[in-house]
Amino acid sequence: MNLLSTLSLLAEAGSLFFTPSNSVFAPEVDNLFDLIYWISAFFFVLIVAVMVYFVVMYRRRPGHSVQPSPSHNNVLEITWSVLPSFLLVLIFVMGFTGYMNIRTPPDDAYEIHVYAKKWSWLFQYPNGAESSDLHIPVGRPVRFILESEDVIHNMFVPAFRTKMDCVPGRYNEIWVLADHSTGTGIKDEDHEPTWLFCAEYCGRDHSNMKAKVFVHETGDFDAWVAKAANLYEGRTMAEVGELLYKRKGCISCHSIDGTRKSGPSFKGGFGTAHKMADGSEVVMDENYIRESIRDPRAKVVAGYEPVMPVFPSSRLSDKDITAISEFIKSLK
Amino acid sequence: MSVGATPDRFQAADVDGAHHREDNYLLASSGLGSWLVTLDHKRIGVMYLIGIMASFFLGGIFALVLRAELFTGQKLFLSEDAYNQMFTLHGAVMTFLFIIPSIPAALGNFMLPIMLGQKDVAFPRMNLASFYLWIIGAVFFLCAIVFGGLDTGWTFYTPYSITTSTRVILALLGVFVLGFSSIFTGLNFVVTINTMRPHGMSWFKMPLFLWALYATSIIQLLATPVLGITGLLLIAERALRIGIFDPELGGDPVLFQHFFWFYSHPAVYIMILPAMGIVSELVAVFSRKHIFGYRFIAYSSIAIALLGFLVWGHHMFVSGQSQLAAVVFSGLTFSVSIPSAIKVFNWLSTMYKGSISLATPMCYALSFIFLFTIGGLTGLFLGALSTDIQLHDTYFVVAHFHYVMMGGTLVAFVGGLYYWWPKMFGVMYNENAGRLFCLIVFLGFNLTFFPQFIMGSRGMPRRYARYVEEFQIYHQLSTMGAFLLGIGMVGAIAVLIYSLYRGKKAPANPWGAATLEWMCSSPPSLHNFEEPPAVGDPYNYDNLRYDEREGGYVVVPGAAKKTSSH
Amino acid sequence: MTVAESTHEDGHGHDHPEHLAHHFQSPRQQYDAGKLGIWMFLITEILFFSGMFCAYAVYRSLHPEIFTDAAKELNTMLGAFNTVVLIVSSFTMAWAVRAAQLSQKKLLVVLLWLTLILAGVFLGVKSIEYGEKFQHGLYPGMFNRFAQEQYPEATKAALSVYVSTEAPAPAAEEGAEGEAHGDSTATGEETHEGEAHGEEHAHDDHEHDEHAEHAEGDGHHGGAEGVRDIHIFFGIYYMMTGVHALHIIGGMGVIGWLILRAHRGEFSSEYFGPVDFTGLYWHLVDLIWIFLFPLLYLIH
């Protein structure tokens, strides 16, 4: 490994090909990348140099003619088949051991549930806290249990050097042990977060399905997750409603600026009458909002498909609905 | 030998009377109808050529629109939905309509019987049927585009493809029909090579292009039916929800990926093997050297074809398949790289002590070696498990397969087109213009795709309509490269088309090649050969001499051990 | 259909026999090419079906209980009868090949007709079987009543594509598909099922009871009731038997064409390739059924 890190320093391939990493297995991945990079560079330069040399030396020109040389040589063929094979075995074994590290979380890992849906992320922490960006503690193994509610998504954090599909109907898992924090304090502004991308194509807003990754110092994380669990403390109802609007995925179908998405925009909707698919007119009030969340197909606004999922009280309490109503009310 | 009986350039031949018209397959009969019902493998090859070039330009326009949109990370002129449709159609059109049929169906159809010294393929009617199936498949695709588009990605992953409102069923029917077109071509080639090799041409005296086509045909026969049934199952799933692939009804979406890649990974070798065959021909002819390690190249084609069936699982390293499966598929994946490396080393050895002409086809062949080497070596990063987890579904993968398929297959295809153009149409193109555009293609290609390796390993996911700012510089380089590449490709094709009107008359054998297609006139007569040609070593150039009067090479019997039967 | 290729005729084959295509050197070469061609084609057919056998194997290993219980819904007697029908038709086909080789023109025509009739009988029985399933609400996919019971929301949402009149996009798609192809099973069935489904609702309750009784009478453990994901079995069943039936129909077309040519006296001991090749195809279709029958009907 010493040799490898020396090589990578020499090459500075790292700074061109990688962003800074933030997990304990990342250096192993980057070292293997460097090793393959140097093996590839060697063979590539060799092949192209030989090719160019031959083209220059043996180019067709007056006075030059073909010189005899053998048309086959089994020893040579076998040599250049077998020797690279050893390198391939080396690469394979290193890739395999690195893979096992990436795929095997320690037993005592902190667990975060990841719910992917079109087109937002929801992270759920053991104490019931939820967030639409990812917050993890530094220096502590974290295991992610991945689920999808609709199509296949993929949780990809380039800095962690890991990714895994979120497949509907089954659980996948990955884990990470971050080796440095992205800042101190529990406010988002105090951090320089890295990106979390959806890496499996999932439809219209695939490229907007990203989240930020905050790595907290241990004490900060405990404070953050405790605060996050208590949604209502220190926030107005409308602020909580806005948080829920983002976390529960309302944001992916209902805009707050008037843009038309899969569902009607919330902007300026409260208190006004709306035409329904069956021809009736309904004024949007607390009761209508509540019904639309608990039984979305009861009244569908004209011009929209009945595609909204049902949110039972296990996923959105009555209090939460009140908060969302307050939020919608605040959108003038 | 009919070398002396070369007819005039076909445009001029109208005045030459009936005798010459019969000698030239292009003029043997006239009128659109005579083309549409032709059973002549050459005309079918030419019709295929026109069809796939049209598809190529359609797919290319999609690509340029995509690259233009990606010049910045924000919206320029495409909505997310439009972008998603655009990349899906780029992938689907390029894969199913262009690259898979490109070399076998166009060049292979034209050259395979002639290289065997025969009048036609074994089943000429099936050959024509295969072309019409291609047309029907293309029409299905066009219908899908016109009536609502397609936004699933060319991979049709479930459950997205079950739930999207775009025209999945139309596109799948297109894929299904195109699959049969591909099977028919493959079947025809296998039977033709097996049963119609001329007396004296044993398996190991076949040109390597034929070995490559043979290996390709085997894959087409074995893998395409699985794609066919996968498409049918997905159609049933979408129309009826039979529940096999749909997690909402208890099905398994990863099973679809296994089904899909069982075809689609071998399909990668359907794309690259014939390209390797072309390069084997080009390197030998333009170095005037016997190909080095003939048997190893031939065996490696077969090895690639067979090993290619065992590696599909490497597309699913992050889908949650078992760790054991991932390890096995990774190991098998590395085994495919050996036969590919063997070919590269053999091509280089062929050039050793040769007399290397830098004619346009050879420029493309050298370009191929350069680009394919990068494509192949970057495959190592993706075959190794731990690095693949980082690189999977990023632009690194996009760059990798473009280096293999575009830098490999497309470049070899254009090289082959330049090489056989004089034979197909009886005219010579402008050599300097050809070389110039080859250089532009080479530069544009690298500028387009090399930055994609870097942004990919830095974490840029593929299929993104919008991206974060840190990737912008790489995207902008890539976009500029794409337009340069576009100019190069249009120029390369324009040089060929221009030659149809202004090109010099081609001799029967302009390059001094020893394979049989150069023993008949340019362009060939309706039945290719008046009498069966003498079969010799396809890579022995000793008895070919340049003839000033002819403007090309002629056989000088007795110059070497090769003898002529008459 | 592929066998037809070897009979390509050419205007100027003076010294060639009439049935020898111009690009072949000898009838022998032509026959060998045809033979290899049909074998290659059969390999692709086997691989085509193997995809469905794989799906079958995967789901049977994951959910063996689905298969044992669902198989009870199939009519083993009709399946067995059809197996016998196909085996006999294979025999008449093989005999027909022999007749062609011995230039027995009349016998050849009779045997080909027999094969054709037996194939028709097979399809008739098959449609009776399908009809029986439909009566019990055992349609493919989301129309299947087990699927509707287990996944009420998902099937309802999926069905709305067909039922709702206010969904212009999917309706347009369906129309386009319907026009664009006449030979696909999936969509052909789909419209049919779509119509049938409307009536089915009316009888739903009644049938449910009837079915439950039937299952209890079975003695065992509730038959197919109560087992999850049973519609997947029917999805696979309809795909496998449906695609197989399409192959029978294709085969009948080719046999019909052979009968025409045999009438004209085109086949003789000199030239019998097309009969031979069709025979091979027919045996394969028969063989696939011989695998399908125990895998679908006889699981216990």
Side-chain angles (χ1 to χ4, degrees):
Chain A
M1 283 302 155
N2 266 339
L3 176 68
L4 292 179
S5 45
T6 324
L7 274 177
S8 82
L9 277 177
L10 276 173
E12 292 185 83
S15 61
L16 180 61
F17 282 95
F18 313 133
T19 48
S21 70
N22 191 6
S23 76
V24 286
F25 45 69
E28 200 176 348
V29 176
D30 293 359
N31 283 338
L32 178 59
F33 189 101
D34 273 333
L35 174 72
I36 304 174
Y37 177 82
W38 281 106
I39 291 173
S40 301
F42 171 77
F43 279 101
F44 176 70
V45 169
L46 181 77
I47 287 167
V48 172
V50 168
M51 185 170 87
V52 170
Y53 177 76
F54 284 176
V55 168
V56 172
M57 276 298 289
Y58 306 120
R59 70 186 183 282
R60 196 172 295 175
R61 56 191 187 268
H64 170 76
S65 63
V66 177
Q67 298 150 35
S69 67
S71 68
H72 62 94
N73 183 332
N74 287 344
V75 178
L76 197 59
E77 298 270 7
I78 289 165
T79 312
W80 68 39
S81 309
V82 172
L83 282 185
S85 306
F86 290 115
L87 286 173
L88 292 181
V89 170
L90 175 72
I91 296 172
F92 166 68
V93 170
M94 287 181 65
F96 163 61
T97 54
Y99 173 77
M100 293 316 284
N101 288 341
I102 296 173
R103 289 294 300 273
T104 319
D107 293 336
D108 58 344
Y110 183 81
E111 283 187 357
I112 297 176
H113 278 268
V114 180
Y115 299 93
K117 65 185 283 187
K118 290 179 191 166
W119 292 273
S120 64
W121 296 97
L122 180 71
F123 303 96
Q124 202 175 56
Y125 303 83
N127 70 347
E130 291 180 341
S131 66
S132 52
D133 285 324
L134 176 62
H135 295 259
I136 60 164
V138 74
R140 183 169 171 193
V142 181
R143 178 167 170 258
F144 301 95
I145 297 132
L146 310 176
E147 289 173 61
S148 166
E149 288 183 16
D150 35 48
V151 299
I152 300 177
H153 301 278
N154 183 305
M155 174 174 158
F156 173 35
V157 183
F160 294 168
R161 306 285 191 264
T162 190
K163 68 161 70 75
M164 181 55 82
D165 278 357
C166 311
V167 183
R170 66 157 78 178
Y171 298 101
N172 280 337
E173 61 164 27
I174 48 173
W175 76 284
V176 74
L177 174 53
D179 59 15
H180 63 267
S181 65
T182 54
T184 51
I186 63 169
K187 283 198 194 123
D188 288 358
E189 305 87 79
D190 300 332
H191 285 257
E192 281 180 34
T194 54
W195 287 110
L196 179 151
F197 296 117
C198 175
E200 182 65 62
Y201 173 68
C202 58
R204 191 187 69 211
D205 280 318
H206 168 55
S207 62
N208 300 325
M209 188 173 162
K210 49 190 189 284
K212 290 183 175 132
V213 179
F214 297 88
V215 181
H216 293 277
E217 299 294 344
T218 313
D220 289 348
F221 180 76
D222 293 341
W224 178 87
V225 80
K227 182 161 186 278
N230 195 348
L231 211 53
Y232 291 88
E233 193 182 291
R235 288 192 178 92
T236 65
M237 285 301 262
E239 280 170 2
V240 174
E242 183 173 6
L243 277 176
L244 290 169
Y245 163 76
K246 286 177 185 159
R247 285 183 196 171
K248 297 296 180 183
C250 318
I251 190 169
S252 54
C253 299
H254 301 281
S255 78
I256 52 174
D257 58 1
T259 319
R260 187 193 158 99
K261 289 185 172 179
S262 309
S265 173
F266 287 161
K267 184 183 162 99
F270 196 86
T272 56
H274 297 265
K275 203 164 168 62
M276 295 296 134
D278 59 6
S280 61
E281 284 213 346
V282 176
V283 174
M284 185 184 190
D285 56 11
E286 281 91 346
N287 280 321
Y288 172 75
I289 293 174
R290 189 187 161 83
E291 184 186 49
S292 300
I293 290 172
R294 291 282 190 247
D295 184 11
R297 277 159 210 257
K299 298 192 179 79
V300 180
V301 177
Y304 292 91
E305 296 288 319
V307 291
M308 175 158 163
V310 176
F311 286 83
S313 54
S314 56
R315 291 187 54 197
L316 213 55
S317 70
D318 286 356
K319 196 177 172 191
D320 294 342
I321 292 181
T322 313
I324 290 173
S325 296
E326 289 301 314
F327 171 60
I328 294 174
K329 221 183 274 180
S330 72
L331 301 166
K332 289 299 171 200
Chain B
M1 209 97 344
S2 59
V3 171
T6 317
D8 285 328
R9 233 186 43 231
F10 62 90
Q11 292 87 355
D14 274 43
V15 292
D16 289 349
H19 178 68
H20 270 185
R21 304 181 109 229
E22 267 182 27
D23 278 350
N24 179 339
Y25 80 99
L26 291 163
L27 301 164
S29 52
S30 58
L32 187 63
S34 75
W35 281 80
L36 294 181
V37 298
T38 184
L39 296 177
D40 179 11
H41 67 101
K42 298 181 290 296
R43 284 188 167 198
I44 294 171
V46 170
M47 291 195 291
Y48 255 123
L49 182 65
I50 295 167
I52 61 166
M53 289 319 287
S55 311
F56 174 66
F57 277 100
L58 183 64
I61 288 166
F62 289 145
L64 290 180
V65 172
L66 288 175
R67 282 311 330 165
E69 170 66 28
L70 289 172
F71 196 73
T72 69
Q74 294 82 43
K75 177 175 172 174
L76 276 184
F77 53 90
L78 282 183
S79 70
E80 277 94 343
D81 272 330
Y83 179 90
N84 292 342
Q85 300 216 358
M86 218 40 105
F87 84 70
T88 299
L89 294 170
H90 165 70
V93 167
M94 284 297 197
T95 310
F96 294 114
L97 287 177
F98 170 64
I99 251 190
I100 288 179
S102 63
I103 299 176
L107 296 178
N109 237 328
F110 197 106
M111 290 304 158
L112 180 135
I114 315 185
M115 288 175 110
L116 288 171
Q118 295 292 346
K119 291 176 183 163
D120 213 323
V121 292
F123 308 123
R125 280 183 196 175
M126 196 158 92
N127 203 13
L128 185 65
S130 137
F131 174 69
Y132 280 112
L133 285 175
W134 185 91
I135 294 280
I136 295 170
V139 167
F140 273 124
F141 261 100
L142 288 178
C143 286
I145 293 173
V146 173
F147 299 115
L150 180 71
D151 73 340
T152 60
W154 77 278
T155 47
F156 296 105
Y157 270 18
T158 56
Y160 188 74
S161 55
I162 303 173
T163 53
T164 175
S165 63
T166 51
R167 299 292 162 264
V168 176
I169 293 184
L170 274 178
L172 282 169
L173 286 170
V175 170
F176 186 81
V177 173
L178 289 171
F180 272 91
S181 162
S182 183
I183 288 175
F184 282 5
T185 303
L187 197 156
N188 229 331
F189 286 2
V190 168
V191 172
T192 307
I193 292 177
N194 258 318
T195 60
M196 296 175 73
R197 269 175 292 114
H199 188 66
M201 188 186 283
S202 61
W203 282 100
F204 289 101
K205 282 191 175 164
M206 276 200 317
L208 286 163
F209 183 55
L210 294 186
W211 269 104
L213 284 178
Y214 192 77
T216 309
S217 302
I218 300 266
I219 309 178
Q220 284 176 316
L221 283 174
L222 297 184
T224 317
V226 179
L227 178 73
I229 192 62
T230 308
L232 216 52
L233 285 170
L234 185 52
I235 290 173
E237 186 69 82
R238 192 173 155 84
L240 306 171
R241 302 294 184 104
I242 55 174
I244 296 181
F245 300 137
D246 186 355
E248 276 195 4
L249 292 167
D252 183 0
V254 179
L255 182 67
F256 173 81
Q257 298 181 18
H258 280 285
F259 271 52
F260 181 81
W261 288 113
F262 182 83
Y263 162 78
S264 292
H265 195 79
V268 170
Y269 301 104
I270 295 179
M271 303 172 200
I272 193 67
L273 274 172
M276 292 166 158
I278 288 182
V279 173
S280 301
E281 301 294 328
L282 297 184
V283 169
V285 168
F286 290 98
S287 303
R288 301 202 67 69
K289 285 287 287 188
H290 194 287
I291 191 90
F292 187 87
Y294 175 95
R295 276 177 188 252
F296 276 82
I297 296 182
Y299 283 134
S300 67
S301 288
I302 300 295
I304 289 173
L306 297 180
L307 289 170
F309 277 98
L310 306 176
V311 302
W312 79 89
H314 68 213
H315 295 271
M316 283 165 280
F317 284 163
V318 300
S319 70
Q321 70 177 355
S322 77
Q323 300 184 1
L324 177 69
V327 171
V328 170
F329 280 122
S330 166
L332 289 167
T333 300
F334 280 111
S335 67
V336 189
S337 59
I338 294 290
S340 311
I342 289 176
K343 288 187 191 257
V344 173
F345 294 142
N346 277 307
W347 292 326
L348 290 183
S349 310
T350 303
M351 291 160 66
Y352 177 62
K353 291 194 175 176
S355 166
I356 299 169
S357 150
L358 285 178
T360 310
M362 185 61 168
C363 293
Y364 279 102
L366 297 174
S367 178
F368 173 96
I369 294 175
F370 183 100
L371 301 173
F372 177 74
T373 303
I374 294 181
L377 287 168
T378 49
L380 299 178
F381 296 86
L382 298 168
L385 283 167
S386 63
T387 43
D388 177 75
I389 288 188
Q390 168 73 358
L391 302 172
H392 185 96
D393 269 337
T394 67
Y395 263 82
F396 193 93
V397 178
V398 177
H400 162 71
F401 70 70
H402 278 94
Y403 264 89
V404 176
M405 288 180 199
M406 195 175 180
T409 309
L410 177 73
V411 162
F413 171 69
V414 179
L417 201 54
Y418 269 89
Y419 175 60
W420 281 305
W421 192 259
K423 180 56 64 185
M424 294 173 86
F425 298 104
V427 289
M428 297 301 290
Y429 56 86
N430 182 315
E431 197 68 78
N432 283 331
R435 275 191 286 240
L436 171 72
F437 286 110
C438 175
L439 183 68
I440 294 176
V441 166
F442 176 79
L443 294 176
F445 181 87
N446 283 298
L447 183 57
T448 310
F449 292 106
F450 202 83
Q452 296 188 0
F453 282 123
I454 299 169
M455 67 170 133
S457 75
R458 293 177 76 88
M460 172 75 210
R462 65 192 285 203
R463 297 177 167 179
Y464 262 32
R466 315 279 177 252
Y467 54 85
V468 295
E469 208 185 326
E470 60 183 274
F471 300 117
Q472 182 151 326
I473 176 69
Y474 308 108
H475 275 294
Q476 292 188 340
L477 287 174
S478 185
T479 300
M480 290 187 272
F483 280 89
L484 188 61
L485 178 56
I487 292 168
M489 284 309 310
V490 170
I493 303 304
V495 169
L496 290 177
I497 292 176
Y498 181 79
S499 75
L500 288 178
Y501 298 96
R502 293 280 184 277
K504 274 190 312 187
K505 187 171 79 76
N509 191 354
W511 315 120
T515 42
L516 295 183
E517 78 270 29
W518 302 104
M519 306 298 152
C520 68
S521 55
S522 299
S525 63
L526 181 60
H527 293 306
N528 303 340
F529 298 97
E530 263 128 62
E531 35 194 319
V535 176
D537 184 335
Y539 300 105
N540 186 340
Y541 305 107
D542 294 347
N543 56 352
L544 287 157
R545 292 281 177 275
Y546 190 75
D547 183 294
E548 290 290 345
R549 197 169 45 85
E550 191 65 34
Y553 287 78
V554 292
V555 178
V556 182
K561 48 249 168 214
K562 182 176 162 185
T563 51
S564 184
S565 59
H566 47 92
Chain C
M1 230 99 38
T2 53
V3 289
E5 304 309 329
S6 52
T7 63
H8 163 55
E9 285 155 29
D10 188 69
H12 65 83
H14 340 274
D15 48 345
H16 284 188
E18 202 192 329
H19 50 74
L20 180 64
H22 77 288
H23 57 286
F24 288 116
Q25 255 120 42
S26 64
R28 177 81 211 166
Q29 190 187 34
Q30 172 166 325
Y31 178 78
D32 286 346
K35 192 97 175 178
L36 183 65
I38 190 70
W39 275 111
M40 290 286 155
F41 181 70
L42 294 186
I43 289 173
T44 67
E45 288 285 8
I46 290 169
L47 282 156
F48 189 75
F49 275 95
S50 74
M52 284 184 291
F53 280 110
C54 274
Y56 175 94
V58 167
Y59 278 100
R60 187 163 171 193
S61 66
L62 288 176
H63 308 286
E65 74 286 352
I66 297 178
F67 285 77
T68 46
D69 288 335
K72 293 192 187 114
E73 303 280 343
L74 302 183
N75 190 326
T76 313
M77 280 311 295
L78 288 182
F81 176 74
N82 254 350
T83 311
V84 173
V85 168
L86 272 196
I87 289 176
V88 174
S89 80
S90 231
F91 171 72
T92 55
M93 189 70 222
W95 195 1
V97 174
R98 185 75 190 143
Q101 286 170 342
L102 298 176
S103 307
Q104 297 161 319
K105 183 190 151 187
K106 267 191 185 157
L107 185 62
L108 171 63
V109 172
V110 169
L111 287 165
L112 287 175
W113 268 113
L114 267 180
T115 315
L116 193 64
I117 291 165
L118 286 166
V121 171
F122 177 90
L123 285 181
V125 173
K126 197 81 233 156
S127 59
I128 294 172
E129 263 194 272
Y130 276 16
E132 229 176 51
K133 303 284 160 308
F134 292 171
Q135 273 183 2
H136 289 263
L138 297 174
Y139 296 97
M142 60 185 163
F143 303 104
N144 188 296
R145 67 185 179 85
F146 290 110
Q148 289 174 347
E149 280 162 24
Q150 192 186 340
Y151 299 102
E153 279 181 28
T155 48
K156 210 170 124 195
L159 278 169
S160 69
V161 171
Y162 296 100
V163 178
S164 155
T165 48
E166 283 180 10
E173 177 180 34
E174 206 193 335
E177 281 147 21
E179 282 164 22
H181 66 100
D183 55 347
S184 156
T185 38
T187 33
E189 278 174 4
E190 147 208 327
T191 29
H192 174 64
E193 257 86 78
E195 288 157 19
H197 181 253
E199 302 159 27
E200 188 235 330
H201 258 300
H203 308 286
D204 211 15
D205 289 350
H206 167 65
E207 266 163 22
H208 188 95
D209 296 340
E210 181 187 83
H211 193 82
E213 266 173 39
H214 169 76
E216 272 165 25
D218 222 44
H220 240 95
H221 57 69
E225 303 290 335
V227 177
R228 292 178 63 78
D229 289 337
I230 209 148
H231 59 283
I232 294 181
F233 173 87
F234 286 101
I236 292 173
Y237 165 81
Y238 281 112
M239 283 306 288
M240 285 181 134
T241 54
V243 172
H244 179 261
L246 270 189
H247 279 81
I248 297 271
I249 293 170
M252 287 171 76
V254 178
I255 291 170
W257 171 73
L258 285 184
I259 291 174
L260 276 180
R261 295 186 67 186
H263 258 299
R264 281 192 240 131
E266 286 185 24
F267 302 121
S268 65
S269 53
E270 295 284 294
Y271 176 65
F272 54 85
V275 187
D276 195 8
F277 308 148
T278 311
L280 284 171
Y281 169 80
W282 195 253
H283 297 322
L284 179 86
V285 173
D286 186 11
L287 189 70
I288 288 170
W289 179 259
I290 288 176
F291 276 98
L292 287 181
F293 176 58
L295 285 176
L296 293 170
Y297 291 76
L298 301 180
I299 326 167
H300 287 303

